[in-house]
């Protein structure tokens, strides 16, 4: 469904304290949307809300750990009270982990899934009544190219993003009769705080061979996709090439990608 005009539309954005979530908030603010932002770092939310308010955007925030069910309940109560309904939900909060699977523990796997998958999908479940009361409502899930093709040493992260990908595809069909869209955004490597915030980083950040995108570029593409009614976008030429190579020539793709683990 196209939504060329986002003025006055009401949005909840998770992961708004840095990187892609912050950039999406700024783009939506520029478009005249009303925002409720969340993340764990209060100073960041305060600063962003101030910046957005100075630019004329109606904006508020709520601090909380998105993986905590009680915090999500509080967040939904705030959305209901402050915005009454939702025209958009952006699930951007996410965390990574790098390193071999065997020597990592269960806690790492569960933490990744709690934030990247369970929090996002439970927030969707809780948001549906408010989205149903919205105008041309849309759920935007920030996935990853690694939710389309896997790489070594990021097994838990890949699994969480594959899960979000499959969930988004299924839910899109389920919600279509209700007029609720689901957009899956799959960025490639993006220059944000993501790599510093990774739970465990046993592999050095290695951007050799691919230039990271900026969060602003990801946000601009996301806004364009929301406006034009896209259901899925894969960002960057390299990301698209990788996904198509994996679909058409999976053995070759796997030979190339397995080198990333050496
Ligand atoms: N950077 C990349 O290369 C890349 C590539 C593809 C996809 N992505 C995806 O893009 C999304 C945004 O990542 P980014 O690159 O913008 O990284 P980022 O700068 O590290 O942002 C991550 C955001 O998630 C929030 N977050 C993490 N754990 C949370 C928790 N338990 N509760 C609440 N909020 C939490 C962080 O806020 P607080 O720390 O304040 O809580 C922060 O706002 C993620 O889903 C990521 O998987 C990133």
């Amino acid at each position: 469904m196209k939504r060329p005009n986002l003025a006055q539309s009401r949005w909840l954005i998770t992961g708004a304290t840095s990187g892609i979530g912050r950039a999406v908030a700024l783009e939506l603010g520029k478009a005249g949307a009303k925002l409720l932002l969340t993340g764990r770092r209060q100073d960041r939310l305060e600063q962003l809300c101030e910046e957005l308010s100075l630019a004329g955007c109606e904006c508020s925030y709520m601090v909380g750990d998105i993986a905590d069910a009680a915090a999500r309940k509080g967040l939904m109560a705030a959305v209901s009270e402050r915005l009454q309904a939702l025209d958009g939900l952006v699930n951007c909060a996410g965390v990574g982990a790098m390193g071999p699977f065997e020597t990592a523990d269960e806690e790492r796997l569960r933490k990744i899934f709690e934030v990247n998958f369970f929090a996002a999908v439970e927030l969707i479940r809780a948001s549906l009544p408010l989205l149903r009361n919205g105008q041309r409502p849309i759920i935007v899930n920030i996935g990853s190219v690694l939710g389309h093709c896997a790489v070594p040493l990021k097994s838990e992260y890949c699994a969480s993003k594959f899960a979000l990908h499959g969930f988004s595809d299924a839910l899109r069909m389920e919600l279509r009769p209700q007029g609720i869209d689901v957009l899956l955004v799959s960025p490639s490597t993006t220059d944000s705080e993501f790599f510093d915030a990774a739970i465990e980083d046993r592999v050095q950040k290695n951007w050799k061979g691919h230039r990271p995108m900026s969060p602003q570029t990801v946000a601009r593409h996301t806004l364009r996709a929301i406006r034009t009614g896209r259901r899925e976008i894969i960002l960057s030429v390299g990301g698209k090439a990788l996904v198509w190579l994996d679909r058409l020539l999976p053995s070759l793709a796997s030979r190339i990608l397995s080198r990333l683990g050496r």
Side-chain angles (χ1 to χ4, degrees):
M1 202 187 304
K2 289 188 182 175
R3 16 186 114 54
N5 186 3
L6 296 170
Q8 298 301 310
S9 58
R10 297 149 292 183
W11 292 76
L12 169 62
I13 306 173
T14 77
T17 52
S18 62
I20 297 170
R22 185 179 191 279
V24 168
L26 287 168
E27 284 295 317
L28 278 168
K30 235 193 284 173
K34 296 180 187 176
L35 309 177
L36 204 162
L37 312 173
T38 188
R40 289 167 301 180
R41 287 169 289 178
Q42 177 157 7
D43 55 334
R44 297 286 190 95
L45 291 169
E46 222 168 75
Q47 192 188 31
L48 178 58
C49 262
E50 224 172 86
E51 189 176 336
L52 282 159
S53 301
L54 281 174
C57 168
E58 210 177 292
C59 174
S60 70
Y61 69 83
M62 177 121 189
V63 180
D65 183 337
I66 205 70
D68 176 32
R72 285 197 301 270
K73 202 168 167 200
L75 180 63
M76 290 322 299
V79 174
S80 181
E81 190 192 308
R82 296 179 204 172
L83 300 176
Q84 285 81 49
L86 274 179
D87 306 308
L89 162 66
V90 183
N91 273 312
C92 191
V95 66
M98 284 152 268
F101 173 73
E102 186 183 0
T103 47
D105 55 13
E106 186 182 339
E107 200 186 325
R108 184 170 94 172
L109 173 64
R110 289 196 180 274
K111 177 77 192 290
I112 294 267
F113 264 81
E114 286 298 343
V115 178
N116 295 2
F117 184 69
F118 291 116
V121 307
E122 289 306 334
L123 200 62
I124 291 172
R125 199 199 304 272
S127 299
L128 282 173
L130 291 168
L131 285 162
R132 247 179 240 115
N133 289 333
Q135 300 276 323
R136 287 177 279 183
I138 182 167
I139 296 160
V140 180
N141 290 331
I142 307 296
S144 169
V145 164
L146 301 186
H148 295 264
C149 54
V151 295
L153 297 175
K154 290 184 185 171
S155 55
E156 299 103 327
Y157 181 74
C158 289
S160 73
K161 293 295 183 180
F162 266 75
L164 191 64
H165 176 180
F167 175 83
S168 302
D169 286 353
L171 194 73
R172 183 181 303 114
M173 292 183 260
E174 192 173 319
L175 296 181
R176 188 174 295 149
Q178 300 177 39
I180 302 174
D181 281 349
V182 178
L183 165 66
L184 179 68
V185 175
S186 300
S188 303
T189 309
T190 305
D191 191 0
S192 67
E193 293 170 27
F194 185 75
F195 297 92
D196 306 318
I199 294 174
E200 208 173 338
D201 184 354
R202 297 197 201 164
V203 177
Q204 280 202 321
K205 178 154 68 181
N206 180 4
W207 284 345
K208 222 168 34 188
H210 53 285
R211 265 212 334 261
M213 306 186 80
S214 75
Q216 292 74 21
T217 303
V218 177
R220 277 196 295 274
H221 281 283
T222 302
L223 264 280
R224 193 178 310 146
I226 292 168
R227 287 190 162 110
T228 54
R230 298 279 300 275
R231 33 172 277 164
E232 179 179 309
I233 51 168
I234 296 168
L235 300 179
S236 91
V237 176
K240 281 180 197 146
L242 207 57
V243 171
W244 277 106
L245 183 70
D246 192 49
R247 280 180 198 165
L248 300 173
L249 297 166
S251 312
L252 177 63
S254 144
R255 270 209 303 279
I256 293 169
L257 291 170
S258 62
R259 289 195 192 146
L260 296 176
R262 285 183 205 149

